[in-house]
Amino acid sequence: MSSTWLTTRAWLLMLPLLAVMIAVIGWPMAETVRLSFTDAKLVGLTGHFVGLDNYAKILSGSNFRGTLSTTAFFAIVSVGIEMVLGVLAALLLNQQFYGRTLLRALMILPWALPTIVNATLWRLIYNPEYGALNAALTQLGLLGEYRSWLGEPGSAMAALILADCWKNFPLVALIALAALQSVPRDLIAASLVDGASALNRFRFVILPYLAGPLMVALVLRTIEAFKVFDIIWVMTRGGPANSTRTLSILVYQEAFSFGRAGSGASLALIVTLMVTLLALAYGALVRKAAGSAA
Amino acid sequence: MSALTLERIAKNYGEVETLKGIDIALESGEFLVLLGSSGCGKSTLLNIIAGLAEPTSGDVRIGDRSVVGVHPKDRDVAMVFQSYALYPNLTVARNIGFGLEMRHVPAAEREKAVREAAALLQIENLLDRKPAQLSGGQRQRVAIGRALVRRPKIFLFDEPLSNLDAKLRMEMRSELKRLHQMLKTTVVYVTHDQIEAMTLATRIAVMRNGVIEQLDRPEAIYNRPATLYVATFVGAPPMNLLSATTTPEGLSIAGLETPLALRHGLEAGRPVTLGIRPEALGLAARETALAFHAELAELTGPELVVTGTVGGQKLVASLPPASGVSPGDRATLFAAPEAFHLFDPATGLRLNRDR
């Protein structure tokens, strides 16, 4: 059988899948690119070609830049907390103690919940009239009167980050825990005999085995945090006063709330491009980390 | 004063008694090999000396200081592991100097010590590499170097050669022997390899099920094994074991008509297990003779290993290749009287009255 026939047959076999992919990914993508160069409205989707006008307006406007920094703030702070918390939890759960298996299983629970459920749960906790947080804090005497945690620009972002960390640190902990199991016992023993302190043991023995997997967790979580939508949409809808409006929320508002399909599409493409660049940069980092640990 | 004293060391893991009362006193400069198959407790014993495990009862003394409950780093011991256990992201130089670095030895002094150790192990050209860039043999040299620079009271080796291929293992074995002769260090070395034990040790402790079966010099372990287990564990091919009964003049081997003339000093009519090493048998006429029926001959190069029967019982003899014994041959095998080891079949203990 000739290799050309093999190649042809391979393509033939893939054709149905390709057709589906073009229909559900390729065509909408192409449409988005086309729309981004028009002033099309959501209704009708017909508009005039306006060239790079949409892009120019978005990139020069303060809306975009403000939202970008809100997004970056959310991503950096919540992912940072998740990484630290996750590693600490993994170190703890890697110790030998009674009930460890149960605790390991319990820790996964927040991450196993659907984001919408988690968000709804935290919205109830933060509720200004009957929320558990208000009740707990006032009963402990730490808070004079009930506050609207999600209703004040000062606290809404912090409340969101807390809810996001609660849900996502278990993923980091899980990855770190798996990595910790790969640290050779002999190496720990050698460092004990060599007289390394706990801190030095972490630095020279544990970290080399943790770095690669943690980098993967960092990549996954940053990209997810950068395009965060659902948890914010359920809890604050980007408010109050746009204080929790991230890029994905902005895209949604532009395209669907204001019906500006053209500039919404441009915005979406800008966000996509940024996430892609982020993924590429991280990919290079991961490959580098993997190379040094081997 | 002994360099290392182990007194009635016992270790239980839950219901399992891993060590059941180990007593060893080691003089300075001795090379003690803990020899046994896996699960005999030899590694546990090493970990107890290192401080990586604590004994359930008993005392460990290094010099005249009891070290039970003392952290591994404060015991003045260094350890070399089977897996080398090198720090993967540190260079060879920093790996070797790690123990000194952690003890805040000044950099200049540290570097000097590292250079000396590297020179001794012939790895000076590798100092800037990472462990991943080294071969197995080189890694183990680095691991030994890391132990050497510390100049500890006791060196602990946990099957250090087991991950190396046969040729390299022999090379490193000689290397370790050379280092020990040169540095006169005190060593405790764990292995399941009897050749390593025989060649390296000044004394061997053969362990089984958490007890020491015999603790003696290598030649005594080989020539006068204290138990059946020791007799069959040391030596390759293993010692032949034949069922026999004592007679006033010697031994009556089951299945053999003519009794064997041998002075044994035991009461007549006693069942014994007779042990003869394959390499103790020969075709040259000696005091004691055995009628042998050859069934299989394997040439290993220096030896012709012949398997056959004596009175229906299996027997292996290592003969010179020139002997030309082939399957089907009937031959008379001879051995010196001191080559016959007598054991109690029930207890496995040695019965010979040794001179």
Side-chain angles (χ1 to χ4, degrees):
Chain A
M1 219 177 298
S2 73
S3 64
T4 40
W5 165 237
L6 268 181
T7 315
T8 318
R9 196 174 60 162
W11 278 107
L12 279 174
L13 286 170
M14 284 193 295
L15 209 56
L17 183 66
L18 270 177
V20 171
M21 284 179 68
I22 287 170
V24 301
I25 298 173
W27 183 73
M29 191 84 178
E31 267 297 286
T32 308
V33 174
R34 184 186 67 78
L35 281 173
S36 75
F37 295 109
T38 69
D39 60 357
K41 297 281 171 277
L42 191 61
V43 183
L45 282 184
T46 49
H48 302 97
F49 182 76
V50 292
L52 291 168
D53 267 15
N54 288 333
Y55 290 96
K57 252 185 239 161
I58 289 165
L59 292 175
S60 62
S62 64
N63 243 355
F64 173 74
R65 269 174 281 158
T67 309
L68 180 62
S69 67
T70 305
T71 310
F73 180 80
F74 174 84
I76 291 168
V77 175
S78 59
V79 172
I81 293 174
E82 283 158 25
M83 297 298 284
V84 173
L85 220 55
V87 170
L88 289 177
L91 285 171
L92 181 71
L93 289 174
N94 199 38
Q95 302 296 314
Q96 202 66 254
F97 60 88
Y98 186 75
R100 179 174 76 165
T101 318
L102 181 72
L103 208 59
R104 280 183 180 178
L106 281 177
M107 189 200 64
I108 308 298
L109 279 181
W111 183 66
L113 286 178
T115 309
I116 302 293
V117 175
N118 183 58
T120 310
L121 203 88
W122 279 95
R123 208 175 57 191
L124 289 172
I125 292 172
Y126 291 137
N127 189 288
E129 281 146 42
Y130 50 81
L133 184 66
N134 277 320
L137 289 180
T138 45
Q139 280 164 30
L140 283 171
L142 295 171
L143 193 68
E145 54 180 10
Y146 278 29
R147 285 183 57 179
S148 173
W149 300 101
L150 295 174
E152 298 164 23
S155 61
M157 180 54 97
L160 263 183
I161 288 175
L162 178 63
D164 188 66
C165 289
W166 162 258
K167 173 167 168 52
N168 286 314
F169 92 90
L171 174 71
V172 180
L174 203 66
I175 291 172
L177 190 58
L180 283 178
Q181 326 260 300
S182 72
V183 179
R185 288 168 66 112
D186 278 0
L187 208 53
I188 302 271
S191 71
L192 285 172
V193 176
D194 278 340
S197 63
L199 203 65
N200 278 330
R201 191 150 58 246
F202 181 77
R203 188 172 145 208
F204 294 113
V205 178
I206 296 174
L207 204 56
Y209 289 86
L210 216 50
L214 274 189
M215 192 59 93
V216 173
L218 185 70
V219 171
L220 283 175
R221 284 299 311 136
T222 317
I223 291 172
E224 268 179 30
F226 202 78
K227 57 191 182 68
V228 63
F229 179 79
D230 37 13
I231 191 168
I232 295 180
W233 191 248
V234 172
M235 288 178 71
T236 64
R237 305 221 159 201
N242 291 334
S243 63
T244 61
R245 187 173 66 182
T246 57
L247 286 169
S248 296
I249 303 272
L250 185 66
V251 172
Y252 182 88
Q253 286 178 345
E254 189 69 19
F256 299 101
S257 304
F258 306 135
R260 295 194 281 261
S263 60
S266 331
L267 195 53
L269 284 174
I270 291 171
V271 175
T272 307
L273 185 71
M274 291 171 82
V275 172
T276 308
L277 287 177
L278 209 58
L280 286 176
Y282 271 145
L285 271 177
V286 169
R287 272 191 297 279
K288 206 176 146 211
S292 70
Chain B
M1 185 187 71
S2 301
L4 172 72
T5 315
L6 302 176
E7 249 176 38
R8 298 185 304 282
I9 299 289
K11 177 70 178 176
N12 304 341
Y13 287 103
E15 299 279 288
V16 186
E17 293 176 83
T18 309
L19 294 173
K20 307 167 191 168
I22 301 287
D23 288 291
I24 296 175
L26 204 61
E27 296 305 316
S28 177
E30 271 202 275
F31 197 122
L32 174 75
V33 171
L34 303 175
L35 176 66
S37 51
S38 55
C40 73
K42 56 191 192 299
S43 288
T44 304
L45 188 58
L46 198 73
N47 284 338
I48 285 175
I49 299 170
L52 297 169
E54 287 296 339
T56 308
S57 64
D59 193 20
V60 180
R61 286 199 301 278
I62 293 175
D64 51 5
R65 180 173 73 122
S66 172
V67 292
V68 173
V70 174
H71 192 277
K73 72 178 189 321
D74 300 322
R75 291 190 176 204
D76 207 359
V77 299
M79 194 156 170
V80 177
F81 298 85
Q82 177 176 355
S83 61
Y84 323 126
L86 300 179
Y87 307 111
N89 57 344
L90 300 185
T91 60
V92 165
R94 273 191 84 190
N95 258 288
I96 295 177
F98 192 77
L100 302 178
E101 190 181 333
M102 292 300 114
R103 285 172 170 75
H104 309 293
V105 172
E109 197 179 321
R110 205 162 71 212
E111 199 179 319
K112 186 164 165 279
V114 169
R115 292 228 161 265
E116 278 172 14
L120 209 57
L121 292 158
Q122 293 147 20
I123 48 172
E124 294 148 293
N125 55 330
L126 305 176
L127 286 175
D128 296 325
R129 298 217 195 145
K130 293 278 180 71
Q133 299 165 290
L134 304 179
S135 70
Q138 291 170 331
R139 285 182 209 192
Q140 197 52 289
R141 280 171 194 268
V142 176
I144 293 168
R146 186 172 64 184
L148 279 183
V149 288
R150 297 253 323 275
R151 304 199 170 281
K153 284 214 178 74
I154 300 173
F155 285 89
L156 305 173
F157 288 86
D158 192 0
E159 308 230 9
L161 308 184
S162 298
N163 281 8
L164 303 177
D165 62 56
K167 185 167 169 286
L168 210 52
R169 199 178 312 152
M170 246 162 76
E171 248 175 67
M172 284 304 289
R173 206 171 69 203
S174 315
E175 187 79 16
L176 284 173
K177 183 99 184 168
R178 180 178 72 88
L179 285 173
H180 180 249
Q181 280 173 355
M182 192 160 62
L183 303 172
K184 308 267 187 285
T185 45
T186 310
V187 177
V188 181
Y189 185 106
V190 162
T191 185
H192 61 266
D193 184 316
Q194 42 127 351
I195 304 287
E196 270 173 40
M198 290 296 294
T199 50
L200 289 172
T202 57
R203 276 199 296 166
I204 299 176
V206 182
M207 292 182 66
R208 182 198 187 193
N209 295 334
V211 296
I212 293 179
E213 293 251 326
Q214 187 172 6
L215 173 60
D216 217 328
R217 289 173 301 113
E219 54 270 35
I221 297 272
Y222 179 80
N223 291 325
R224 291 190 301 281
T227 66
L228 267 175
Y229 180 78
V230 175
T232 50
F233 195 84
V234 176
M239 185 185 274
N240 294 296
L241 300 176
L242 304 171
S243 303
T245 315
T246 53
T247 64
E249 287 80 36
L251 291 174
S252 159
I253 296 172
L256 214 61
E257 277 171 32
T258 359
L260 207 69
L262 186 74
R263 280 174 47 182
H264 49 65
L266 300 169
E267 76 274 24
R270 175 180 184 143
V272 295
T273 299
L274 167 63
I276 317 164
R277 294 206 180 274
E279 57 273 26
L281 293 162
L283 294 168
R286 306 280 303 255
E287 294 89 328
T288 332
L290 286 169
F292 178 68
H293 183 202
E295 288 171 351
L296 180 73
E298 296 160 289
L299 181 68
T300 63
E303 289 174 333
L304 185 68
V305 178
V306 186
T307 308
T309 55
V310 163
Q313 300 191 61
K314 189 187 162 207
L315 187 89
V316 177
S318 298
L319 303 172
S323 62
V325 176
S326 43
D329 284 358
R330 286 179 191 281
T332 308
L333 296 176
F334 298 91
E338 60 268 23
F340 289 80
H341 307 270
L342 301 180
F343 300 96
D344 186 316
T347 63
L349 292 177
R350 183 178 184 85
L351 295 172
N352 296 62
R353 307 273 164 81
D354 292 311
R355 296 142 290 267

